[in-house]
Amino acid sequence: MSRTAALLVAVALTLAGCGESTQEKPSVAQGEADFGKATDLSNGFGTQAKPGEFPRTVKHAMGETVIEKKPERVVVLDTGELDNVVALGIKPVGIAYTDGSPTMPSYVGDKAGTPENVGTINNVNLEAITKLNPDLILGSQLRAEALYPKLSAIAPTVFSVRPGYVWKENFVLNAAALDRQADAAKMLEDYTKKATETGDAIEAKLGVRPTVTALRFLPGRIRLYAKKSFIGTILIDAKIPQPAASQVDDLAAEISTEEIGKADGDFVVYSSYGDPAKTAQDSVLGGPLWNGLNAVKAGKAKPVSDETYFLGLGVLAADVVLDDLKKQFGA
């Protein structure tokens, strides 16, 4: 049984200060012991409650949470949770943005309404969350494990293991807390079909499944996003291969500016996290090594939206990425 099919089966304290850092990372961070185990750690998450049944108990990364009634005032602590709740027809009352993109993602637009800003994913504002009187908080162990006791004192709180390559498992978990499992199942089914059709269309257009490098510039580092990344899972689902340097069972392979040749492939899609001027993007793109890449010489190295390819982390962003890949390939 495929992972997606398994997911579809699975679907059937005093608050101190205004802002608190969530920089302390548990072992599910990249490079730590449990990073690659996030899928296994997510097994069994969700609820045994029937559709419409409340109270319901939801099992998640931090244990079990009882949700007394169907949530209406939801606070989301990352872009993955934002994507999930909006996809399920819910407008969150509060959101923690990323430091690199502290505004509503354009692909979400007004579908999310006008949620209050409750800080960033690395500096959550507990006072702001409390004032919103939420009845559900959604986040992840990776981002905010240390804050879980205080958050759960404000409202029922459900945490995934981590954002990223387990975005489908996280969607199922969030849907369980929101009593929208059937909707999530249908959306994942539609996504899987669209990914297959996208890969087939690209192959039909080009006569081959081209290799695609997902290159990202961040302050102080350059990454080739790999199998255990959001974009990596989308390429796998579309059966679009990545070059050898990106075929690692990890979030990404980090390279230096001198190693930019490893980014070469039939196509290269690239972006910067936050302000490109704070990364090596401009110097790399203006240098001889970049201009010597086969993809660059063939006009097949294209800038893409960071907020969808790398920060989206949900089915809405995945759909946009698939549409953009077809456009990039002229399929």
Side-chain angles (χ1 to χ4, degrees), residues 176-298:
L178 295 164
D179 188 29
R180 283 170 165 81
Q181 297 99 308
D183 293 336
K186 181 61 167 61
M187 290 177 193
L188 286 175
E189 185 177 31
D190 290 346
Y191 158 79
T192 300
K193 180 180 179 181
K194 184 172 182 175
T196 299
E197 291 174 346
T198 298
D200 290 345
I202 291 170
E203 182 174 10
K205 174 69 175 181
L206 302 179
V208 67
R209 303 243 175 179
T211 58
V212 175
T213 295
L215 172 66
R216 195 185 194 200
F217 298 94
L218 300 95
R221 64 184 65 182
I222 304 172
R223 285 176 170 174
L224 307 178
Y225 275 71
K227 293 180 179 181
K228 282 186 164 55
S229 67
F230 177 61
I231 180 58
T233 65
I234 295 173
L235 293 172
I236 289 170
D237 290 339
K239 296 182 174 59
I240 297 173
Q242 293 180 275
S246 300
Q247 290 185 15
V248 295
D249 196 30
D250 204 340
L251 171 70
E254 295 202 359
I255 61 173
S256 67
T257 55
E258 294 78 14
E259 296 174 312
I260 201 66
K262 292 182 178 180
D264 209 359
D266 295 325
F267 280 77
V268 177
V269 294
Y270 63 89
S271 73
S272 280
Y273 177 68
D275 184 357
K278 296 180 180 179
T279 74
Q281 176 177 305
D282 291 343
S283 61
V284 168
L285 268 56
L289 295 179
W290 173 261
N291 289 292
L293 297 183
N294 292 322
V296 174
K297 289 187 290 186

Side-chain angles (χ1 to χ4, degrees), residues 41-320:
L41 292 171
S42 300
N43 287 341
F45 286 179
T47 184
Q48 297 298 315
K50 298 176 182 178
E53 180 182 352
F54 286 92
R56 63 177 48 203
T57 299
V58 178
K59 183 178 179 182
H60 57 98
M62 301 301 294
E64 294 185 347
T65 293
V66 176
I67 302 174
E68 296 292 340
K69 61 184 180 67
K70 191 165 185 173
E72 296 179 352
R73 298 184 58 79
V74 183
V75 169
V76 295
L77 302 182
D78 204 342
T79 54
E81 288 75 44
L82 169 67
D83 192 303
N84 291 343
V85 301
V86 173
L88 294 170
I90 294 169
K91 295 180 179 180
V93 297
I95 177 174
Y97 290 108
T98 67
D99 297 280
S101 184
T103 58
M104 183 64 65
S106 61
Y107 77 90
V108 174
D110 59 7
K111 293 191 291 291
T114 55
E116 293 290 329
N117 188 319
V118 296
T120 68
I121 61 174
N122 289 317
N123 192 26
V124 175
N125 189 322
L126 296 175
E127 183 179 353
I129 293 175
T130 303
K131 289 179 179 179
L132 291 173
N133 192 29
D135 48 27
L136 179 65
I137 300 171
L138 296 174
S140 71
Q141 179 187 14
L142 177 68
R143 299 293 197 206
E145 181 179 34
L147 296 184
Y148 180 78
K150 292 182 178 181
L151 290 167
S152 58
I154 298 171
T157 300
V158 171
F159 273 8
S160 64
V161 173
R162 57 164 294 117
Y165 73 95
V166 284
W167 63 273
K168 299 172 195 173
E169 287 85 349
N170 297 349
F171 191 30
V172 170
L173 174 62
N174 289 174
L178 295 164
D179 188 29
R180 283 170 165 81
Q181 297 99 308
D183 293 336
K186 181 61 167 61
M187 290 177 193
L188 286 175
E189 185 177 31
D190 290 346
Y191 158 79
T192 300
K193 180 180 179 181
K194 184 172 182 175
T196 299
E197 291 174 346
T198 298
D200 290 345
I202 291 170
E203 182 174 10
K205 174 69 175 181
L206 302 179
V208 67
R209 303 243 175 179
T211 58
V212 175
T213 295
L215 172 66
R216 195 185 194 200
F217 298 94
L218 300 95
R221 64 184 65 182
I222 304 172
R223 285 176 170 174
L224 307 178
Y225 275 71
K227 293 180 179 181
K228 282 186 164 55
S229 67
F230 177 61
I231 180 58
T233 65
I234 295 173
L235 293 172
I236 289 170
D237 290 339
K239 296 182 174 59
I240 297 173
Q242 293 180 275
S246 300
Q247 290 185 15
V248 295
D249 196 30
D250 204 340
L251 171 70
E254 295 202 359
I255 61 173
S256 67
T257 55
E258 294 78 14
E259 296 174 312
I260 201 66
K262 292 182 178 180
D264 209 359
D266 295 325
F267 280 77
V268 177
V269 294
Y270 63 89
S271 73
S272 280
Y273 177 68
D275 184 357
K278 296 180 180 179
T279 74
Q281 176 177 305
D282 291 343
S283 61
V284 168
L285 268 56
L289 295 179
W290 173 261
N291 289 292
L293 297 183
N294 292 322
V296 174
K297 289 187 290 186
K300 296 178 180 179
K302 305 289 186 179
V304 294
S305 169
D306 197 69
E307 68 180 13
T308 49
Y309 275 73
F310 299 100
L311 291 176
L313 306 180
V315 70
L316 294 181
D319 281 345
V320 174

